Amino acid sequence: MSRPYNFSAGPAMLPEPVLARARDELLNWHDSGMCVAEMSHRGAEFMRIATQAEADLRSLLAIPDQYKVLFLQGGASSQFAMVPMNLLRDHDSADYIQTGSWSKKAVAEARRFCSVNVAMNTEDTRFNRAPRQQELNLSADAAYVHYTPNETIEGVEFPYIPDTGDIPLVADMSSTLLSRPLDVSRFGLIYAGAQKNIGPAGLTLVIVREDLIGKTIAATPTMFDYQIHVKNESMYNTPPTYAWYLAGLVFEWLRDLGGLEAMADINQRKAAKLYAAIDGSAFYANPVEPQSRSWMNVPFTLANPELDSQFLSEAKHAGLLTLKGHRSVGGMRASIYNAMPEAGVDALIQFMAEFERTRG
Ligand SMILES: *Cc1c(COP(=O)(O)O)cnc(C)c1O
């Protein structure tokens, strides 16, 4: 059976070899006689899975020792609250860079806890670019600076890591973590919902510099305290065991493929050819300025929006799924995360050219 190419923004495609391995291990993991989903999270078998997954993630991203890795639940959306609750540390304010729908939500949630200085907001140009470093109006007394390196809905990606001096940098990397190598030491905290580029929904990764935790604001719920999760190795309560296991298989898949350098080459190639196809056509358009274009989420519009539904139904017929753009933006969006094979992007480009030739 050949599987269709699914361009969903999340939950998104998983690598086929990962799914095949999970299938092979589904009823009986490594002669344990159990499915991973049936195992005690404190048993020897699951501990092995959990420890290996963390070790593989640390090795892929070369995470320095002073960073803790947490396997949590609640999605990136819970991190919008957890970050201020844990990182304000007696400060009254935090800086936020607002470059799209997700960072806007992060700002709104942070306002429940502190005064937010929006260091830059690109909404007046419909979130079509990442600001330059010199445009950032950073404050000297901010507890941290929060930004969204890849805006999943608008398809805007920072081509650089903002310099915030001694102020901890916090990044919502839900739709870009593991797409390329990363200098983790530039960050105070990184978080990501897994369902885009890491694994299935239900798992949230947090990578946090150890010296930043343990100073939560009063009345922080136990489950929202990073230190509790650090002390309990992400097992204060029952962790999302099966999602953790699947993420571990994804980390192994990345390692076997040559790690994040190799993944970055593939991702860059995939994105470059799709943007080239869009830019080379008078029928398709992408609104994002070229140097801020995402490698992972590629929104595009048709010259005639009345053809949108026809485009989508013919694409589906051709085995190209979930290309509809986010309801707030319209048009199309192709999410081409790590798990999207280059052949899937080629198939999309070919379909787009054919659609333009016959219907455009
Ligand atoms: C998907 C997404 C979120 C929301 O993630 P949930 O896990 O659904 O809470 C937040 N930020 C970014 C950048 C995303 O892509």
Side-chain angles (χ1 to χ4, degrees):
M1 177 190 91
S2 108
R3 307 180 76 231
Y5 296 113
N6 178 7
F7 294 89
S8 169
M13 275 184 95
L14 287 163
E16 192 169 331
V18 165
L19 295 175
R21 170 116 176 250
R23 175 201 56 208
D24 294 343
E25 296 178 345
L26 186 68
L27 295 187
N28 181 8
W29 183 84
H30 293 216
D31 283 331
S32 65
M34 288 181 280
C35 172
V36 175
E38 302 171 307
M39 292 175 181
S40 161
H41 55 296
R42 304 195 193 279
E45 292 91 351
F46 187 75
M47 288 308 258
R48 222 173 96 200
I49 291 168
T51 309
Q52 190 62 47
E54 179 175 340
D56 287 342
L57 179 66
R58 283 187 173 274
S59 143
L60 278 172
L61 283 167
I63 300 175
D65 288 345
Q66 72 270 29
Y67 287 79
K68 300 295 184 186
V69 176
L70 301 174
F71 292 79
L72 306 181
Q73 305 187 55
S77 301
S78 293
Q79 295 307 311
F80 294 167
M82 244 173 128
V83 164
M85 286 177 139
N86 286 265
L87 297 198
L88 277 171
R89 298 163 296 134
D90 296 332
H91 296 258
D92 306 317
S93 70
D95 285 355
Y96 277 70
I97 307 171
Q98 188 168 302
T99 50
S101 306
W102 286 117
S103 49
K104 193 174 174 176
K105 284 198 165 168
V107 166
E109 189 73 354
R111 285 207 164 109
R112 298 160 61 93
F113 302 98
C114 66
S115 125
V116 170
N117 169 45
V118 177
M120 179 65 196
N121 183 359
T122 56
E123 192 159 11
D124 57 340
T125 55
R126 310 186 77 199
F127 297 131
N128 71 337
R129 69 190 186 91
R132 311 289 170 270
Q133 171 78 42
Q134 60 271 21
E135 291 179 281
L136 304 178
N137 181 23
L138 301 175
S139 39
D141 53 353
Y144 58 86
V145 179
H146 179 284
Y147 85 119
T148 306
N150 186 69
E151 289 282 2
T152 320
I153 292 174
E154 287 79 10
V156 169
E157 187 154 20
F158 278 70
Y160 68 100
I161 299 174
D163 181 1
T164 59
D166 291 337
I167 300 188
L169 180 61
V170 175
D172 173 1
M173 294 213 175
S174 295
S175 50
T176 183
L177 191 65
L178 302 181
S179 67
R180 71 194 82 186
L182 182 70
D183 181 359
V184 172
S185 72
R186 297 282 304 275
F187 297 86
L189 187 148
I190 292 165
Y191 63 91
Q195 68 274 23
K196 278 62 181 255
N197 210 26
I198 298 165
L203 170 69
T204 311
L205 284 183
V206 174
I207 302 168
V208 58
R209 216 176 67 210
E210 173 169 63
D211 61 285
L212 295 174
I213 57 179
K215 300 170 198 102
T216 50
I217 60 173
T220 297
T222 309
M223 282 293 290
F224 272 49
D225 184 341
Y226 292 127
Q227 193 170 46
I228 294 285
H229 295 293
V230 166
K231 279 188 179 147
N232 293 278
E233 299 182 319
S234 304
M235 296 198 189
Y236 172 76
N237 74 326
T238 317
T241 50
Y242 200 76
W244 192 331
Y245 156 73
L246 280 184
L249 295 186
V250 171
F251 303 155
E252 280 186 43
W253 172 76
L254 282 167
R255 185 197 61 202
D256 294 347
L257 189 135
L260 299 186
E261 304 268 357
M263 194 71 248
D265 286 345
I266 299 169
N267 285 332
Q268 186 169 31
R269 214 164 50 227
K270 280 169 9 191
K273 62 168 89 167
L274 183 49
Y275 287 115
I278 293 167
D279 290 345
S281 135
F283 185 69
Y284 301 106
N286 167 281
V288 180
E289 72 158 20
Q291 68 259 50
S292 304
R293 284 174 168 177
S294 168
W295 285 9
M296 298 278 104
N297 310 98
V298 182
F300 61 93
T301 52
L302 276 51
N304 177 5
E306 281 168 18
L307 293 174
D308 281 4
S309 58
Q310 195 175 353
F311 180 93
L312 287 166
S313 69
E314 289 184 21
K316 186 172 177 189
H317 193 69
L320 308 169
L321 310 184
T322 338
L323 283 159
K324 193 174 166 59
H326 191 272
R327 58 191 182 279
S328 66
V329 174
M332 308 297 154
R333 174 176 49 170
S335 293
I336 50 174
Y337 300 117
N338 289 350
M340 174 59 68
E342 193 163 353
V345 175
D346 292 338
L348 173 61
I349 292 169
Q350 204 185 345
F351 170 81
M352 287 167 70
E354 184 63 12
F355 188 86
E356 177 179 1
R357 196 180 64 78
T358 56
R359 313 270 189 266

